[in-house]
Amino acid sequence: MPKQTPMSSYEQLAAEVSNDSSFYQVPKEMALKAIHARLTAADWALWTYVQVFDPHGDRMKQLPEIAKIAQTIGVSERQIQRSLAKLKQLELYDWEPVVIRGQNLAGKKAKELTKQKREAKSSDESKTTKLSQPGQSCRNQDKVVTTRTKLSQPGQSCQDRAPKPPSDNDSGSPQT
């Protein structure tokens, strides 16, 4: 069964819909069009609501958010969307979305997957690669990969060796 929202009281509705007249007319041809279209109760409630909210139809007026309209007339938000589309198709009421909100579901899914991978990785107790053996952090003892950067000195990455002292050369200003 569709989700329905509790309906606003008559006093709440009267306070929300403030206009300059307490009377509005529906042209005969519009009423006949609505009857012929076999509008549902939700369609009728929405059409009546928007007519009371905008009795003259002389310009576009800002309506409350769909959630607020749904609460006011006591139907689901999805039903409001369907009814608005139907009223527009029948040319009984025209509307346009002014504010649009969105959520990137692909980005959300990617973020969730990244989080799951991070959690799985942190739960893995092995922090070393399967190729590393104890004591292989020293370049001279590494039997798998021997690498050397221009910045490292021989034996500098070994924990049991003292670093090589800096050279005695002065780092004065270069001469041109």
Side-chain angles (χ1 to χ4, degrees), residues 92-110:
L92 293 172
Y93 191 79
D94 191 20
W95 62 277
E96 60 187 30
V98 178
V99 176
I100 186 166
R101 292 177 48 170
Q103 182 178 17
N104 178 2
L105 298 179
K108 181 180 180 182
K109 184 69 174 174

